[in-house]
Amino acid sequence: MSDLLETVAAAVAHSGQAQSADAWFAGGERVGYDPKAHTIFAREDVAREDAPLRVFLRQEGDPAHAVSFLPGFPDGSFGWAKVRPHLPNAGEMPKLFVDYVGMGDSDKPKDYVYSTAERADLVEAIWRDLSVESTTLVAFDFSSLVVLELLRRRLERSGRGEPAEGPDIRRVFIFNGGLFTDGHSHPWYTTPMLRRLPSRARQRMGRPFALFKRMPGVRKMWSKGYHVTDAELRELHSAMDRHDGLFYLAAGAGFVADHKTQGDRLDFGHLYKAYRDQFPFLVGGSDEDPFEHRQVGLAQERLGKLGLQIERLPGGHLTTNEQPEALAALIAKFERGPAKKPEHEFVENTHDRYQHQSTRTL
């Protein structure tokens, strides 16, 4: 990032205002990624144009113990731009932000198989590359499913007698995300319709800007009382359209169907019970979220008596945009809160619980 952009970014962060999409992405880098080998390329290899893909990564502070901020759909890592100024500084809270393949400043291959699994592959690759030792997972929107996939993989590896891989997880924070396969409530004209669009129609998605802002599901992301301006919509459009990316609105919209095909494997209830003695969880939702408004109620009904921390905030689905200060306060308070038992006290118990679940399933 140039000295001028660094100065502007620092001034914006100090004022508490959101960065533009250009300023947000200037604060990070595009690193090489091989999705088949699940490997991040060394920076010198990227310069030689060797990497099959490039993905956006923004790191602030020491990555060894950073909080991993996973993006929402469809705004990607840029969704955290308004939240970031209200979070503790990089010394107190190191941070990692990432755009999955197809989102934000990452590459947008047309012939790519977009899925929850490949997103989890990328997160694990980034952790390995940066030698992350421990992390708190902060997931918004569909990244909840990536968290569920990451947690399930660790149980499955443990069940096979393999190392868990990856950093120690300190905490899990999920907001406005899918938790249970029977809890999704996406309006028919949003992701359900998008995922069924033919390829030819996907290439013309949201262009020009005047068409984008009139798309039925766009304004549905905000609450009825929030007046979203054209300037905000333009920045959202700019963040999503980088590298010919608006087709991802349809290409990436299959995550609900992806979740439902996983059945019990990615059920939050099972995973919470397996890990609740290891680290704390917080799940939250916005009062007017039309996409996942049933999830928090189901979490309260099914897991509230088991100690699951549940929080609600006012506004629509894009809490990152409508309530950035309140959301940042929740995250910071949660990260500073008490941890659970040390790992050596619960590894055997977690493994036994997984074996019991596997036996019961069979």
Side-chain angles (χ1 to χ4, degrees):
M1 182 164 57
S2 70
D3 292 341
L4 176 60
L5 284 173
E6 285 182 351
T7 301
V8 171
V12 169
H14 180 73
S15 69
Q17 299 175 2
Q19 297 178 1
S20 68
D22 284 345
W24 172 259
F25 294 121
E29 60 179 330
R30 277 164 48 82
V31 298
Y33 176 57
D34 184 341
K36 294 182 179 179
H38 307 158
T39 302
I40 300 295
F41 276 51
R43 304 313 190 261
E44 57 270 20
D45 290 337
V46 175
R48 297 203 308 267
E49 302 291 330
D50 287 341
L53 293 174
R54 284 169 175 73
V55 294
F56 175 75
L57 172 64
R58 177 173 177 146
Q59 52 178 311
E60 301 176 5
D62 182 4
H65 303 288
V67 175
S68 299
F69 287 86
L70 305 183
F73 178 89
D75 50 345
S77 70
F78 180 61
W80 294 111
K82 288 182 72 172
V83 178
R84 175 186 167 273
H86 302 291
L87 292 167
N89 63 37
E92 184 178 350
M93 179 188 285
K95 308 170 189 70
L96 292 176
F97 302 93
V98 61
D99 273 323
Y100 302 132
V101 178
M103 306 189 82
D105 207 29
S106 292
D107 282 352
K108 316 290 197 306
K110 299 292 195 302
D111 58 349
Y112 194 77
V113 180
Y114 294 100
S115 70
T116 299
E118 57 87 12
R119 294 172 196 120
D121 290 340
L122 174 60
V123 173
E124 289 185 319
I126 289 171
W127 284 339
R128 286 193 297 271
D129 178 66
L130 296 177
S131 300
V132 178
E133 298 173 13
S134 74
T135 190
T136 290
L137 289 166
V138 176
F140 188 75
D141 188 70
F142 79 153
S143 278
S144 64
L145 306 183
V146 175
V147 170
L148 300 185
E149 174 67 28
L150 291 167
L151 295 180
R152 175 55 69 184
R153 288 182 181 186
R154 293 184 175 214
L155 288 181
E156 291 171 344
R157 289 165 183 159
S158 176
R160 296 191 298 264
E162 301 171 359
E165 295 187 19
D168 293 335
I169 296 176
R170 298 190 299 268
R171 295 169 178 82
V172 170
F173 181 105
I174 295 173
F175 208 89
N176 280 351
L179 305 171
F180 305 99
T181 55
D182 59 342
H184 297 289
S185 53
H186 292 224
W188 67 268
Y189 52 84
T190 58
T191 49
M193 181 183 73
L194 287 171
R195 64 181 288 262
R196 291 178 172 84
L197 287 177
S199 296
R200 291 178 61 185
R202 293 181 180 189
Q203 307 311 316
R204 300 190 296 271
M205 288 289 297
R207 291 181 174 173
F209 170 72
L211 175 62
F212 170 77
K213 71 177 186 177
R214 291 198 302 270
M215 291 176 62
V218 168
R219 294 183 184 272
K220 193 72 173 177
M221 294 186 291
W222 287 270
S223 64
K224 294 179 180 178
Y226 184 84
H227 177 64
V228 58
T229 65
D230 270 9
E232 287 176 288
L233 288 171
R234 283 188 183 279
E235 290 300 336
L236 175 62
H237 184 268
S238 173
M240 293 166 53
D241 195 31
R242 300 172 80 87
H243 312 292
D244 189 25
L246 282 175
F247 81 94
Y248 186 78
L249 274 169
F255 55 89
V256 172
D258 195 9
H259 188 200
K260 291 180 177 180
T261 62
Q262 297 291 313
D264 287 346
R265 184 174 176 275
L266 297 188
D267 179 80
F268 178 70
H270 294 171
L271 292 167
Y272 173 72
K273 291 171 186 176
Y275 284 103
R276 66 191 178 102
D277 294 329
Q278 177 174 345
F279 42 76
F281 287 76
L282 184 152
V283 300
S286 297
D287 292 338
E288 299 178 55
D289 176 18
F291 298 98
E292 301 291 359
H293 70 269
R294 296 183 57 216
Q295 301 284 357
V296 172
L298 290 174
Q300 180 68 61
E301 174 188 329
R302 296 170 181 177
L303 303 170
K305 292 181 180 180
L306 298 180
L308 176 65
Q309 184 177 348
I310 297 172
E311 300 287 349
R312 293 182 182 271
L313 289 175
H317 179 70
L318 284 186
T319 316
T320 48
N321 193 263
E322 289 192 42
Q323 299 287 338
E325 188 169 2
L327 184 59
L330 270 184
I331 294 168
K333 181 180 179 181
F334 183 62
E335 173 67 358
R336 293 172 179 143
K340 295 289 185 180
K341 299 175 183 178
E343 183 176 359
H344 66 273
E345 295 184 17
F346 56 72
V347 166
E348 182 177 356
N349 185 46
T350 300
H351 175 71
D352 290 346
R353 186 180 295 119
Y354 173 69
Q355 294 284 30
H356 173 69
Q357 289 177 351
S358 299
T359 303
R360 184 176 56 190
T361 301
L362 292 173

